[in-house]
Amino acid sequence: AQKVTQAQTEISVVEKEDVTLDCVYETRDTTYYLFWYKQPPSGELVFLIRRNSFDEQNEIIGRYSWNFQKSTSSFNFTITASQVVDSAVYFCALSEGVLTGGGNKLTFGTGTQLKVEL
Amino acid sequence: NAGVMQNPRHLVRRRGQEARLRCSPMKGHSHVYWYRQLPEEGLKFMVYLQKENIIDESGMPKERFSAEFPKEGPSILRIQQVVRGDSAAYFCASSPPDRGFGNTIYFGEGSWLTVV
């Protein structure tokens, strides 16, 4: 069975600090997809990134970067020079392959609450 | 370019009443999913639908919960005879037809159900 672990329940940083959110996953499949979503205080879920298991290249989008390491089954998320607007709950999610019909079923971690203070 | 639209955003129901949550997927998306987020927890998959078909309902409670995605109109998640334990945020998501290497799944803003 697939599983996603976000061991950090809550992280507090001061603005402009860098912060890394950890995500460790378990799966038996060789084809799978990893996601990160942001849930700000307003409650909506905002898609940040999707990676497939064949692409281990790290990615940088602005102040956000992701480190995917299959050897350790980790997909960590780093925010550089954090800002107050980054305060949110961040979820890591895993999808194993494709369902009958072409859809994907996501297994979510329990989330990491990030608080960025002035 | 509207995203996934859910309504209502907030719904209060008394125990024993019915709750209906609606979801319109993003334009061009043929897959609809419902997830539930209980307080202080991550999201849990409930059901995956395509037009007029339930594809995977492995996460749906066996009783009182049902979902549909008719040929015309939004997807509906229906909860009959609500109980306090149904209080949660219900998220709808959608994705485009599969291209063979998985899809990005986009979520709506959620519907917060409170049962009093």
Side-chain angles (χ1 to χ4, degrees):
Chain A
Q2 52 187 344
K3 183 179 178 183
V4 176
T5 300
Q6 295 181 256
Q8 304 150 308
T9 305
E10 187 172 318
I11 301 175
S12 289
V13 298
V14 176
E15 204 175 35
K16 296 183 184 171
E17 285 185 4
D18 298 347
V19 58
T20 295
L21 310 181
D22 297 333
C23 173
V24 175
Y25 61 91
E26 294 176 29
T27 178
R28 294 180 193 158
D29 277 16
T30 55
T31 300
Y32 53 89
Y33 307 90
L34 295 161
F35 299 77
W36 276 94
Y37 289 89
K38 173 183 179 180
Q39 187 175 40
S42 49
E44 72 271 26
L45 271 172
V46 179
F47 166 78
L48 295 178
I49 194 168
R50 176 176 73 97
R51 284 310 245 199
N52 73 58
S53 52
F54 298 108
D55 183 2
E56 284 193 73
Q57 282 191 354
N58 294 330
E59 182 151 355
I60 300 174
I61 302 175
R63 297 183 296 107
Y64 296 170
S65 62
W66 289 270
N67 184 305
F68 177 26
Q69 293 198 343
K70 287 179 78 170
S71 60
T72 56
S73 297
S74 65
F75 186 43
N76 296 337
F77 172 31
T78 297
I79 301 175
T80 303
S82 60
Q83 300 176 2
V84 172
V85 294
D86 295 328
S87 296
V89 180
Y90 291 86
F91 291 99
C92 180
L94 166 69
S95 171
E96 286 181 336
V98 177
L99 295 171
T100 300
N104 298 94
K105 182 192 298 185
L106 296 178
T107 297
F108 280 82
T110 50
T112 297
Q113 170 82 60
L114 174 65
K115 294 184 178 178
V116 181
E117 299 164 335
L118 292 170
Chain B
N1 188 18
V4 179
M5 305 300 291
Q6 288 189 248
N7 70 84
R9 281 298 306 275
H10 298 277
L11 182 64
V12 179
R13 284 287 178 265
R14 296 187 184 279
R15 281 177 294 168
Q17 291 185 320
E18 178 179 289
R20 284 193 180 220
L21 310 177
R22 289 174 290 278
C23 169
S24 295
M26 286 180 71
K27 187 176 181 180
H29 286 193
S30 54
H31 305 321
V32 167
Y33 315 81
W34 286 94
Y35 284 76
R36 178 165 65 174
Q37 184 179 28
L38 293 168
E40 309 300 326
E41 292 187 18
L43 282 79
K44 304 285 188 198
F45 169 83
M46 298 180 76
V47 62
Y48 158 46
L49 311 103
Q50 294 182 16
K51 285 286 187 182
E52 299 184 282
N53 279 306
I54 297 174
I55 308 299
D56 185 330
E57 56 181 345
S58 57
M60 286 281 270
K62 294 288 183 275
E63 298 176 347
R64 301 187 297 107
F65 284 72
S66 62
E68 63 176 7
F69 188 19
K71 188 175 180 181
E72 301 291 337
S75 174
I76 306 285
L77 179 67
R78 182 182 178 204
I79 311 172
Q80 295 178 289
Q81 299 173 335
V82 296
V83 301
R84 288 222 170 102
D86 297 333
S87 295
Y90 292 85
F91 285 90
C92 176
S94 71
S95 63
D98 176 52
R99 294 167 295 171
F101 45 86
N103 288 301
T104 295
I105 300 172
Y106 295 94
F107 284 81
E109 294 185 325
S111 291
W112 268 257
L113 172 65
T114 302
V115 179
V116 297

